[in-house]
Each structure stands twice: as structure tokens, then as C-alpha cells.
Amino acid sequence: MHLTVRSGNRIGAIVTTGESSLRIPARSGTNHARHLLRTVAGVPRASSGCPGDLRNALEQVRRPPRRRGMVTVISDFLSDTGAGEPHWERPLRGLGDRHELLGIEIIDPREMDLPAAGLVTFVDPESGAQLEVQTDDAAMRYRYATAARAQRAEIATYLRRAGADHLVLRTDSDWL
């Protein structure tokens, strides 16, 4: 944003928390860029733990058609991958037909490996379903890590298929 705003390009945002969606119309100028950053930083987290609706946000960008430009999607892209095409792939491909795409995937390394912590209860934030897992089992931890890496590879494939450049940022490292 800081690189492109100085040349008069317009910048806008759609932020979704799962409970609500915020649209900041595209405008030019550094004052608008600062306003956009303050607004996005001030968006409260969803209280229910419900993930944002990435498909709906992508459809808001896609329809009605806008001038060609660059669309940056910042997400963990976790959804129903592994059960066929994720719900966000089709609208992302539609955006890729008209715009330059950059998919920024946020990875939390704690989601990639399970620690040997004994019996752990996991709760699905959307459905409330609970699952107890014995994390001391090395074979189970290995299967989990293998499945998590396969899921990330699948996300990368879907982003490539949509025509998006792919940047991975980890929560445990410096992003600069």
C-alpha cells in the first residue's frame, strides 16, 4: 500500500470477521491510506471464534466488475480443503481473470505440529463439536503433521490454479 499510494493509485479494503463485513471504498492519497490502516487495525475480532467468510468477501470484490488492478488476499485459507474444491477457489479464479492476484497465506506454526501434551480436548469454533485426542502418541502426531503439510500444499495448488502469486508469512518470524 505504501509503495503504490504515492503514484496516485486507489486503495480499498474488505475486511470480514465472520460476524460482520466492513467495506472501505477505494480512494487515492496518503491520508486515505492512513485512514484505511487505522480502520483495519481497529476492527474487533469476532467474539464467537467464527472464521471470516472469504468467499463472500471475494465475491464483493468481483461483482460488479471493477477496473483492472491488483487484489491482495490475506488469509490462512483454511476451510473445507480436502473435501473437494474449497469454497473460495471459484471466486478467486474469477478475480484472477481480470486482476493481478497476490495471496498472502498466514501460517501459525502451532497449527502444523501437535506437542506431546497428553489428552487434549479440541473444540470446533463453528459447530462447538469437541474431540479428545491423546497427543502423546507419536504416530498420531506424525499423521497430523503430514496432513497439515498436505493441506498447505493443496492451498498452494489452489492459489496457483487461480493465477495468484503466493506469499507465505509465519506468525513466529519477522515479516519484513
Side-chain angles (χ1 to χ4, degrees), residues 52-119:
D53 185 0
L54 182 56
R55 179 175 194 220
N56 184 39
L58 294 172
E59 287 293 349
Q60 287 183 46
V61 174
R62 190 171 151 215
R63 293 188 178 130
R66 298 195 174 18
R67 286 195 265 173
R68 293 186 187 277
M70 179 174 195
V71 174
T72 302
V73 181
I74 305 170
S75 176
D76 59 8
F77 296 99
L78 296 176
S79 65
D80 52 1
T81 55
E85 172 181 296
H87 68 278
W88 49 261
E89 192 208 4
R90 180 165 287 144
L92 192 66
R93 270 190 285 142
L95 281 171
D97 291 342
R98 182 163 183 88
H99 303 283
E100 183 179 341
L101 286 178
L102 173 60
I104 300 178
E105 181 183 11
I106 307 297
I107 292 179
D108 186 341
R110 294 175 295 182
E111 295 174 346
M112 301 300 289
D113 296 300
L114 287 176
L119 189 63

Side-chain angles (χ1 to χ4, degrees), residues 77 81 88 105 149-162 164-166 168:
F77 296 99
T81 55
W88 49 261
E105 181 183 11
R149 282 166 182 67
Q151 182 184 42
R152 293 301 177 171
E154 188 177 12
I155 288 169
T157 300
Y158 284 124
L159 289 171
R160 245 188 334 272
R161 189 182 304 165
D165 291 326
H166 185 201
V168 176

